[in-house]
Amino acid sequence: MIEPYVKLEIDNQVGYIEFFHPDHNAMPSYNLKTLEKTIVEAGKNDAIKVIVLKSGGDRTFCAGASFKEV
């Protein structure tokens, strides 16, 4: 099983932020906080002119908040 992650890669002034959670990218609060922090940091990085969000895996882009936390 692939572990949840948020990662940033920079290529040609584009910051690609990829996120993944095995529950169809349902985003538990700790994943959302990591995603938020990564977006904010990318926005402050002068080497990045455009930010692209993309989902890891081969399923849904993002199912939304995690029902397991509700």
Side-chain angles (χ1 to χ4, degrees):
M1 176 184 282
I2 300 173
E3 294 295 315
Y5 65 83
V6 176
K7 66 181 179 179
L8 168 64
E9 294 181 7
I10 303 170
D11 182 29
N12 198 27
Q13 297 184 317
V14 178
Y16 295 94
I17 299 174
E18 182 175 308
F19 58 93
F20 174 80
H21 191 277
D23 292 336
H24 291 274
N25 282 317
M27 297 296 281
S29 60
Y30 69 89
N31 261 41
L32 284 172
K33 288 177 186 174
T34 303
L35 180 60
E36 176 188 22
K37 179 181 176 187
T38 304
I39 292 170
V40 169
E41 289 175 0
K44 293 178 182 178
N45 187 332
D46 291 335
I48 298 173
K49 302 300 179 201
V50 175
I51 297 171
V52 175
L53 296 178
K54 62 186 210 174
S55 176
D58 59 358
R59 297 183 281 168
T60 55
F61 175 71
C62 183
S66 174
F67 287 115
K68 292 178 182 177
E69 290 188 339
V70 176

